[in-house]
Amino acid sequence: MSEAAHSAVLPVGGAGAVSTAWWGMVCLIATEAILFVYLIFSYAYLGSQQNGPWPPSGPPSLTLAGSNTVILIGSSLVLGWGLRMFKRSHNSRNLTLVLLATIVLGSVFVTIQGFEWAAKPFVFSTNAYSSIFFILTGVHMAHVAVGLLMLAALLAWTVMGRFNQGHHEHLALGALYWHFVDVVWLAVFTTAYLVPRLQ
């Protein structure tokens, strides 16, 4: 039996929303979401056991974190819009620009987060709050870094011409992960930056 007949009779994986890759990404996101649920619960638990104000040094500033939130949401909107346009026109040049813009915005987010960490009046080992703050935001930062690596790979594949009318599932999977990273940041931002202002 020829190789073409084998590929027609014995497909390697499904296609669309039932593909192996899609389910793999969904399972990865579910696992990582549970990790952040645990971290946010740990933050809340430590706060409930704190004698005195939580955070001890007062609510963190919204100046950099607020700007970062706008930047990350903007990156998600740009990526989502770009993928919709690509599915309609299959214009690789525009997709390249969209992926590059998303990477730049994500890199700006990482840079601003680094400046915010450096400006904190505490270090990781200062107290329970400082530890959970750096763990919570640091684990999210690690996920942003992974997302940037994914986007960089998608950008390279776009430049190489790997995506066409019938093959762009990897773009959808990369975008799904990036949107997840953005949603998680909203949960982290609400927990660490907004909730302390309601107490």
Side-chain angles (χ1 to χ4, degrees):
M1 187 177 288
S2 68
E3 184 177 340
H6 272 298
S7 64
V9 176
L10 300 173
V12 175
V18 296
S19 70
T20 304
W22 188 88
W23 282 111
M25 181 59 74
V26 168
C27 289
L28 172 66
I29 287 175
T31 302
E32 298 306 296
I34 292 171
L35 170 63
F36 280 100
V37 168
Y38 289 152
L39 290 174
I40 291 172
F41 174 81
S42 298
Y43 176 95
Y45 175 77
L46 289 172
S48 70
Q49 301 301 307
Q50 172 76 9
N51 291 324
W54 182 266
S57 56
S61 172
L62 294 178
T63 303
L64 294 179
S67 300
N68 249 0
T69 302
V70 173
I71 289 170
L72 207 55
I73 291 174
S75 73
S76 214
L77 293 175
V78 167
L79 183 59
W81 172 81
L83 291 189
R84 282 194 298 274
M85 293 300 102
F86 178 72
K87 288 178 182 178
R88 293 177 187 172
S89 65
H90 301 287
N91 187 321
S92 295
R93 182 177 178 276
N94 290 344
L95 178 61
T96 299
L97 294 176
V98 164
L99 289 171
L100 190 58
T102 307
I103 291 171
V104 168
L105 289 171
S107 300
V108 170
F109 175 90
V110 170
T111 303
I112 292 176
Q113 187 69 54
F115 279 117
E116 185 188 1
W117 284 348
K120 291 298 179 190
F122 49 76
V123 295
F124 180 84
S125 59
T126 299
N127 50 41
Y129 170 78
S130 64
S131 296
I132 193 61
F133 176 85
F134 282 120
I135 289 173
L136 182 59
T137 56
V139 170
H140 178 264
M141 179 75 81
H143 283 74
V144 172
V146 170
L148 288 173
L149 290 176
M150 286 185 183
L151 292 172
L154 293 174
L155 176 61
W157 289 344
T158 301
V159 172
M160 293 166 58
R162 289 190 57 176
F163 301 122
N164 52 48
Q165 295 184 16
H167 179 74
H168 44 72
E169 182 186 23
H170 293 89
L171 288 169
L173 296 178
L176 183 62
Y177 183 86
W178 190 253
H179 295 326
F180 162 72
V181 167
D182 290 1
V183 169
V184 166
W185 172 250
L186 292 178
V188 171
F189 178 74
T190 300
T191 300
Y193 293 88
L194 299 183
V195 171
R197 285 174 161 71
L198 303 178
Q199 299 174 354

